[in-house]
Amino acid sequence: MLLATAQFSFGQDLLSLLNDENAEPKVVSSLFKDSRVVNAQSSKQSSKGEFKFLIQHRFGTLNSGFYNLWGLDNSQVRMGLDYGVSDRIAVSVGRSSTNKQYDASVKGKLLNQSDKSPVVLSVFSALFLAHPSESLRQQADYEFLNQLSFANQLIIARKFSSKFSAIVLPTHVHLNTFAFGTSADPLFLGLGGRYKLSKRITVNGEYFYALSEMPLTHQNMLSLGFDIETGGHVFSLHLSNSRGMNEHVFLTQTSGDFFEGDIYFGFNISRVFEW
Amino acid sequence: MRLILVCILFSSHIFAQQYLSKEGDVSFFSEAPIENIEAVNNKATGVIDLRTGGFAFQIMIEDFVFPNSLMQEHFNESYMESEKFPNSTFTGVISDVSAIDLSKEQSIDVSGNFLLHGINRQMNMTATLSLKDEKLNISSQFDIVLDDFNIDIPKIMMYKIAEVINVNIEMNLQKLSNE
């Protein structure tokens, strides 16, 4: 026993020689499990050389009845591929069945959360193109540019504890096609967060408040969900009053009332590849 | 470095025969059916006192580099919980320090306290010691049973992780002071 104590103290004395007074700033990582909170972007992005394939499903509303199996008969899908050009720049392309839409986006990380910065600061910018139908293209007033929409976003996120992270998302949308009397450049403020229930399961939430005047049917998006990470895959199960998976859709075309049961069940599966 | 040197020169360690390194290599290897996982930490630190036989080694868990950044994130977040348990240390003594003959390479027995994932365990290991170009070279291989250190392997994981991990240490320590 004495010997063990002696051994212990020997080494312990020496440990103090190893502590580095010029340690590098410590970067806080793993704020979110996936690159999306639910629908909205999170502070996570693909790191250098990492590919991620993402399949997102959105079913019909839960209040659509037994006949539609509470929405399960009716699904919309987005398939997307993300790629990390560097640890700070990630690009993404995707195609949604909603409005037969193509999207391309870039996410750039300006600051990591560390001893020097209290938050992660990133910028996100996206372009959306609705594939025009043959009949639409025959119309006299058809213009290709009218099929385009854009979104620009600041991503400000902070990990408050190993379990809780919060995110603020000031967002600008530009619509080339918009309803009379509404803005072509509406502004929104998004708030979101995640809480870790266990090492691999988190509960996520997000809400976007419209700062600009919106059509009477407009509802602010509210989503709640779970992320389940299994090492390489993330499964995300969630409920939202929006069915859109792209910023301009879930911000300007949400008309469901969450508290009236206009809730869409959805799930995402993401898989990371690297070589 | 210089600060430490000065401290040591003017402290009671003046008669010590201490060797120190701040850039040792620690790597581990997990061999499993689907995927072999290997990670390296090039910032391991260590100090050995050849007068008393005492030693201390320390690594920061976040300094392990994996070939795949997602694995690295999961290693830190889900397995090692490196925010909660940032370092691993091994402190103890060389069993028969007076028998060490630095003129040739030799095997030594060490015992001490191993701290990993917040768990302390008494461990005995063997290491190889030699003196080359004024530098003390120490290398060792040993196995870690993850269960001994409360590191869980969940059943739903998509990749498999071995229950026993092979660890490899290689370090060149420089002499700090003369007797």
Side-chain angles (χ1 to χ4, degrees):
Chain A
M1 186 58 212
L2 244 174
L3 187 69
T5 319
Q7 282 176 3
F8 193 74
S9 61
F10 262 128
Q12 292 290 314
D13 288 351
L14 295 170
L15 258 189
S16 59
L17 296 177
L18 301 178
N19 290 322
D20 205 339
E21 62 285 353
N22 322 309
E24 295 163 32
K26 206 168 157 308
V27 171
V28 177
S29 62
S30 312
L31 282 80
F32 288 87
K33 290 276 187 203
D34 210 347
S35 56
R36 290 175 180 247
V37 182
V38 175
N39 288 314
Q41 299 296 322
S42 80
S43 58
K44 187 174 168 72
Q45 61 186 59
S46 297
S47 54
K48 189 178 180 186
E50 184 182 286
F51 282 94
K52 186 171 77 180
F53 185 57
L54 176 68
I55 306 175
Q56 298 168 273
H57 291 80
R58 297 295 180 275
F59 297 98
T61 57
L62 295 184
N63 62 4
S64 64
F66 181 30
Y67 183 69
N68 292 315
L69 203 64
W70 297 280
L72 288 186
D73 281 354
N74 187 351
S75 112
Q76 296 189 339
V77 179
R78 176 180 178 272
M79 287 186 284
L81 188 68
D82 294 4
Y83 175 67
V85 179
S86 73
D87 283 337
R88 291 192 177 266
I89 299 172
V91 293
S92 173
V93 290
R95 203 273 189 183
S96 315
S97 57
T98 318
N99 305 338
K100 303 196 184 297
Q101 204 134 185
Y102 292 87
D103 62 81
S105 66
V106 57
K107 205 190 260 192
K109 187 177 280 179
L110 305 176
L111 287 174
N112 271 309
Q113 184 179 336
S114 69
D115 304 348
K116 288 180 178 162
S117 165
V119 293
V120 175
L121 179 65
S122 303
V123 289
F124 171 78
S125 195
L127 162 76
F128 309 103
L129 166 68
H131 195 164
S133 66
E134 189 63 40
S135 61
L136 185 66
R137 274 182 281 160
Q138 302 300 331
Q139 288 176 15
D141 59 353
Y142 168 76
E143 275 196 61
F144 173 75
L145 287 178
N146 288 345
Q147 307 305 310
L148 295 173
S149 307
F150 306 85
N152 298 299
Q153 193 165 56
L154 274 179
I155 299 172
I156 305 159
R158 176 171 168 83
K159 190 174 188 175
F160 285 93
S161 71
S162 62
K163 289 187 168 171
F164 178 66
S165 305
I167 192 164
V168 179
L169 299 158
T171 309
H172 161 247
V173 172
H174 177 78
L175 305 166
N176 278 2
T177 304
F178 57 101
F180 184 75
T182 62
S183 171
D185 293 279
L187 299 174
F188 303 86
L189 184 65
L191 299 171
R194 78 98 193 251
Y195 185 80
K196 266 173 105 169
L197 300 176
S198 73
K199 282 181 199 167
R200 292 178 176 79
I201 301 176
T202 67
V203 57
N204 298 4
E206 64 189 14
Y207 177 75
F208 274 79
Y209 178 76
L211 300 168
S212 305
E213 198 165 331
M214 301 300 292
L216 284 174
T217 54
H218 173 81
Q219 292 280 343
N220 290 327
M221 181 183 71
L222 174 66
S223 321
L224 295 168
F226 295 95
D227 276 359
I228 302 161
E229 172 250 304
T230 65
H233 288 84
V234 178
F235 295 96
S236 167
L237 307 168
H238 42 81
L239 298 171
S240 176
N241 63 336
S242 177
R243 205 180 189 188
M245 291 166 266
N246 290 328
E247 275 68 16
H248 70 300
V249 180
F250 66 70
L251 291 177
T252 70
Q253 295 170 31
T254 297
S255 56
D257 186 336
F258 198 94
F259 301 100
E260 296 284 324
D262 295 331
I263 299 171
Y264 301 92
F265 171 64
F267 72 88
N268 300 344
I269 303 172
S270 70
R271 170 73 209 183
V272 168
F273 301 91
E274 197 156 8
W275 63 84
Chain B
M1 260 315 268
R2 196 163 289 157
L3 188 72
I4 291 173
L5 210 67
V6 171
C7 287
I8 288 158
L9 284 174
F10 290 96
S11 73
S12 59
H13 292 291
I14 194 153
F15 298 115
Q17 199 182 353
Q18 291 175 334
Y19 289 83
L20 181 134
S21 170
K22 295 212 164 187
E23 44 193 20
D25 297 335
V26 174
S27 59
F28 70 79
F29 189 69
S30 150
E31 193 176 4
I34 296 176
E35 201 160 18
N36 291 334
I37 298 169
E38 194 174 9
V40 186
N41 186 330
N42 300 121
K43 295 177 186 169
T45 58
V47 58
I48 298 177
D49 188 327
L50 281 186
R51 192 178 58 86
T52 63
F55 63 82
F57 293 94
Q58 173 166 259
I59 50 170
M60 302 312 286
I61 300 298
E62 286 191 344
D63 289 335
F64 275 104
V65 178
F66 286 69
N68 173 324
S69 58
L70 193 71
M71 259 182 211
Q72 190 166 327
E73 188 178 337
H74 291 158
F75 170 76
N76 284 299
E77 192 189 6
S78 307
Y79 291 90
M80 301 306 295
E81 302 174 88
S82 54
E83 281 183 2
K84 223 196 285 181
F85 310 116
N87 62 349
S88 172
T89 60
F90 184 45
T91 56
V93 284
I94 299 170
S95 295
D96 192 2
V97 69
S98 57
I100 290 175
D101 174 8
L102 286 177
S103 65
K104 61 177 199 282
E105 186 177 297
Q106 60 210 283
S107 174
I108 53 167
D109 292 322
V110 303
S111 65
N113 180 61
F114 193 79
L115 168 75
L116 180 67
H117 194 235
I119 307 278
N120 282 298
R121 284 186 83 89
Q122 189 70 25
M123 277 177 77
N124 301 318
M125 297 179 197
T126 55
T128 307
L129 196 70
S130 64
L131 191 68
K132 278 180 211 146
D133 306 329
E134 301 283 292
K135 285 183 179 176
L136 190 66
N137 176 278
I138 188 160
S139 65
S140 181
Q141 289 87 38
F142 58 94
D143 290 343
I144 288 177
V145 180
L146 294 187
D147 197 38
D148 287 350
F149 294 93
N150 284 1
I151 300 166
D152 312 333
I153 309 170
K155 298 214 165 45
I156 54 164
M157 294 305 287
M158 294 295 166
Y159 44 74
K160 293 281 175 285
I161 289 161
E163 286 166 14
V164 178
I165 304 287
N166 317 118
V167 181
N168 209 324
I169 294 179
E170 175 86 40
M171 209 177 266
N172 286 304
L173 303 102
Q174 272 179 321
K175 198 165 191 177
L176 276 180
S177 58
N178 289 308
E179 281 185 58

